[in-house]
């Protein structure tokens, strides 16, 4: 009897130890998964993109120069200034406010690497929401990076999220109330830089970044401010300028010129009741002429198949082509062409140039004379042709962002 | 306001740490639902809290 009890106790003890080992094994497996996943997240968070500025660079400012509390945060971002020294107008080209639309930042880099300004002044912000560019979209299985082929090898760029990284601003409220309009917006829009304008200097990190952008526009007296975005093809405002009422005429003329000469471009008036967006608040809270631009990016359409790097760079998707055949897209779409990266960058570069040119037509005292590669240049050579080798460049003109 | 935002942010990170610790405790020392499937679930659910506390994701 005694022996039988001991035997049972032994079996129970063995079973308990085995179970503990099993639990430890499960935990070890989970930690291994956390390690491998974490390594990828870490890589995206800390990877820095390289840009070689054109020699015309006169100054590099930081967003924290316009609001000190941004210093040392992930929202602090460089502002590149190209001043001709000749009196004229001033323009701001801002990209990657939504970092899951990174053809905008690539277009800014192409602009920065090749810009020549002979009248007026140009400000370029290639990473509008730098925090958001350091995390991927939850649940969408996006690639972390995209690559651009150049003569000196491939260049790698981040594909980020729509809003600020939750590591930097968290938690979200149940409802986001835009300041100062008090308009209720979706909760996650509290991290969406293009819903938090005009911002507030003591608000959330995203609101403070938006406030700093407003301060930049006001203090530097920027005449035209261009906010570059990408849109899904099933979104009505794709391939469009969205302009504040003061800039609507110049945007309409730019759209007509582009549509006649290079590519289809629409023009919409900024709705007065839709608050927090750049094309509304930049114009209402400063004297700038506010324009937002959208290009067609199949990568962020909801109906597409696997979200691969190839889809991002080529934009070819059979599901989207089927949707287009049924008239469900707001941009003419053919799978043979897709919506390649050069096309989207080219649209932005020529779109910005056309808006600035037309500002000079309407307001001669604000004329800016500047040049950078446009749509036809990118059509002929692709994006990588216009990027320069950091290893061979003057170190003072190489920046990591 | 900025300071308040930062305090709330830190409190939520601490919450993530506490929840992660509870998940670990329940993995090894729970009374109810002793099945292996629950072991796997508790171990797996630690991952997002761990990554948040470490400032990785």
């Amino acid at each position: 009897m005694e022996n039988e009890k001991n035997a049972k106790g032994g079996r129970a003890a063995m079973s308990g130890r085995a179970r503990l080992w099993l639990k430890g094994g499960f935990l070890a497996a989970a930690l291994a998964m956390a390690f491998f996943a974490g390594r990828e997240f870490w890589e995206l968070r800390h990877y820095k993109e390289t840009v070689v500025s054109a020699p015309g660079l006169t100054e590099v400012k930081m967003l924290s120069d316009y609001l000190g509390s941004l210093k040392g945060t992930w929202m602090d971002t460089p502002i590149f200034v190209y001043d001709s020294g000749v009196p004229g107008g001033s323009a701001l080209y801002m990209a990657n406010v939504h970092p899951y639309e990174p053809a905008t930042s690539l277009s800014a880099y192409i602009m920065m690497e090749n810009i020549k300004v002979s009248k007026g002044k140009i400000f370029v912000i290639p990473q509008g929401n730098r925090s958001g560019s350091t995390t991927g979209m939850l649940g969408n299985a996006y690639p972390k990076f995209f690559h651009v082929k150049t003569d000196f090898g491939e260049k790698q760029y981040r594909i980020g999220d729509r809003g600020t990284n939750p590591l930097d601003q968290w938690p979200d409220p149940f409802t986001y109330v835009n300041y100062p309009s008090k308009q209720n917006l979706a909760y996650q829009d509290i991290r969406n830089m293009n819903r938090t304008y005009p911002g507030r200097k003591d608000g959330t990190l995203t609101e403070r970044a938006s406030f700093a952008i407003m301060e930049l526009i006001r203090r530097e007296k920027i005449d035209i401010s261009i906010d570059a975005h990408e849109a899904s093809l099933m979104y009505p405002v794709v391939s469009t300028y969205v302009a504040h009422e003061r800039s609507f005429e110049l945007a309409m003329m730019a759209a007509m010129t582009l549509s006649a000469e290079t590519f289809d471009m629409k023009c919409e008036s900024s709705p007065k009741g839709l608050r927090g967006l750049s094309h509304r608040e930049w114009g209402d809270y400063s004297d700038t002429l506010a324009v937002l631009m959208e290009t067609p990016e199949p990568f962020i359409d909801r109906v597409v198949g696997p979200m691969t790097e190839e889809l991002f760079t080529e934009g070819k998707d059979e599901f989207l082509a089927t949707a287009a055949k049924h008239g469900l897209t707001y941009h003419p779409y053919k799978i043979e062409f897709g919506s390649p990266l050069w096309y989207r960058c080219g649209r932005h570069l020529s779109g910005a140039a056309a808006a600035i040119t037309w500002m000079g037509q309407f307001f001669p005292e604000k004329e800016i004379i500047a040049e950078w590669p446009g749509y036809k240049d990118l059509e002929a050579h692709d994006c990588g042709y216009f990027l320069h080798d950091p290893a061979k460049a003057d170190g003072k003109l190489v920046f990591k962002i | 306001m900025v300071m308040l935002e930062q305090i709330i942010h830190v409190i939520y990170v601490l919450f993530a740490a506490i929840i992660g610790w509870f998940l670990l405790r329940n993995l090894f020392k729970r009374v109810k639902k002793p099945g292996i499937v629950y072991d796997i679930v508790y171990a797996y659910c630690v991952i997002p809290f761990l990554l948040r506390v470490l400032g990785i994701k």
Side-chain angles (χ1 to χ4, degrees):
Chain A
M1 194 67 177
E2 185 85 6
N3 287 344
E4 200 175 303
K5 266 187 186 172
N6 284 343
K8 275 184 183 171
R11 273 202 301 275
M14 283 293 288
S15 170
R17 274 200 295 275
R19 191 63 194 279
L20 200 61
W21 275 105
L22 196 62
K23 285 170 188 275
F26 290 142
L27 182 63
L31 292 178
M33 282 192 275
F35 173 77
F36 287 111
R39 199 171 57 169
E40 297 213 3
F41 295 139
W42 182 271
E43 187 187 8
L44 179 59
R45 174 80 162 160
H46 294 275
Y47 180 77
K48 290 196 171 177
E49 298 171 350
T50 307
V51 59
V52 180
S53 173
L57 180 69
T58 46
E59 194 177 1
V60 182
K61 295 180 173 230
M62 295 298 290
L63 196 56
S64 57
D65 294 342
Y66 299 91
L67 184 64
S69 70
L70 290 176
K71 199 170 182 64
T73 71
W74 285 79
M75 287 299 260
D76 201 7
T77 192
I79 302 161
F80 297 87
V81 187
Y82 299 86
D83 188 351
S84 65
V86 178
S90 55
L92 167 67
Y93 184 72
M94 184 163 164
N96 239 26
V97 166
H98 291 154
Y100 75 153
E101 301 161 4
T104 62
S105 54
L106 183 59
S107 69
Y109 291 144
I110 292 171
M111 182 187 284
M112 286 170 59
E113 296 213 10
N114 301 278
I115 193 168
K116 286 176 191 155
V117 187
S118 46
K119 186 178 182 185
K121 193 192 284 192
I122 306 259
F123 294 74
V124 185
I125 305 178
Q127 293 288 345
N129 186 339
R130 196 170 75 86
S131 165
S133 74
T134 64
T135 185
M137 284 283 280
L138 274 180
N140 280 16
Y142 279 12
K144 302 190 297 285
F145 302 106
F146 68 95
H147 299 83
V148 176
K149 284 181 186 160
T150 69
D151 292 340
F152 51 91
E154 282 196 336
K155 287 198 81 173
Q156 180 172 280
Y157 298 94
R158 299 187 296 266
I159 301 177
D161 196 354
R162 182 174 167 84
T164 304
N165 193 332
L167 285 175
D168 304 318
Q169 184 183 315
W170 185 57
D172 295 339
F174 288 110
T175 303
Y176 163 52
V177 182
N178 173 263
Y179 177 83
S181 71
K182 296 185 178 172
Q183 187 170 77
N184 285 5
L185 298 167
Y187 71 95
Q188 70 271 25
D189 277 339
I190 199 165
R191 288 183 291 109
N192 179 349
M193 207 170 165
N194 201 30
R195 297 295 182 279
T196 51
Y197 292 113
R200 52 181 158 181
K201 62 180 174 184
D202 61 350
T204 64
L205 188 60
T206 313
E207 284 178 318
R208 282 185 277 145
S210 297
F211 180 82
I213 296 291
M214 291 299 318
E215 281 293 285
L216 160 71
I217 292 169
R218 286 187 288 246
R219 285 191 214 170
E220 304 292 347
K221 295 182 172 57
I222 291 176
D223 295 313
I224 184 168
S225 301
I226 300 167
D227 186 12
H229 286 259
E230 299 198 83
S232 57
L233 282 76
M234 298 176 83
Y235 177 55
V237 190
V238 65
S239 311
T240 305
Y241 285 117
V242 187
H244 189 267
E245 50 271 19
R246 285 190 287 103
S247 44
F248 188 70
E249 286 186 355
L250 75 87
M252 180 61 86
M253 290 307 296
M256 287 170 64
T257 311
L258 290 171
S259 299
E261 295 175 359
T262 42
F263 51 79
D264 286 340
M265 190 73 166
K266 297 177 282 184
C267 187
E268 296 272 349
S269 179
S270 170
K272 287 184 179 174
L274 190 55
R275 307 309 309 198
L277 290 104
S278 56
H279 49 75
R280 170 52 40 204
E281 312 296 0
W282 285 3
D284 282 1
Y285 286 86
S286 75
D287 296 327
T288 199
L289 299 163
V291 179
L292 181 147
M293 295 190 300
E294 298 275 16
T295 59
E297 186 191 13
F299 190 72
I300 56 175
D301 267 284
R302 293 298 172 193
V303 299
V304 295
M307 291 175 169
T308 59
E309 183 180 346
E310 191 181 13
L311 175 63
F312 178 80
T313 53
E314 299 300 325
K316 294 179 179 176
D317 182 82
E318 59 181 303
F319 298 102
L320 194 59
T322 305
K325 273 183 199 164
H326 289 84
L328 297 172
T329 58
Y330 292 90
H331 174 88
Y333 181 78
K334 287 204 165 63
I335 194 165
E336 296 78 21
F337 180 71
S339 185
L341 197 50
W342 72 260
Y343 174 74
R344 285 141 52 203
C345 289
R347 288 184 66 102
H348 270 333
L349 290 165
S350 286
I356 290 169
T357 301
W358 276 103
M359 177 182 72
Q361 297 286 317
F362 279 95
F363 308 99
E365 73 282 6
K366 295 178 180 176
E367 186 185 45
I368 296 170
I369 301 175
E371 57 182 273
W372 51 75
Y375 178 88
K376 288 180 178 168
D377 300 309
L378 268 69
E379 183 179 30
H381 300 289
D382 212 335
C383 300
Y385 179 83
F386 297 99
L387 300 174
H388 299 90
D389 186 354
K392 293 179 182 167
D394 178 356
K396 289 177 186 167
L397 296 174
V398 179
F399 298 92
K400 287 184 179 290
I401 304 170
Chain B
M1 180 75 170
V2 174
M3 180 65 79
L4 189 64
E5 290 279 347
Q6 285 170 346
I7 290 169
I8 293 169
H9 184 81
V10 171
I11 288 171
Y12 267 70
V13 174
L14 287 176
F15 277 162
I18 291 166
I19 291 169
W21 185 81
F22 270 112
L23 289 169
L24 270 180
R25 198 192 68 166
N26 281 358
L27 170 62
F28 289 102
K29 288 185 180 177
R30 66 179 185 276
V31 180
K32 293 179 182 175
K33 301 189 187 299
I36 287 176
V37 171
Y38 282 89
D39 286 347
I40 296 169
V41 170
Y42 276 113
Y44 186 74
C45 287
V46 167
I47 297 174
F49 295 96
L50 181 70
L51 294 179
R52 179 54 57 94
V53 170
L54 294 177
I56 294 171
K57 178 68 177 176

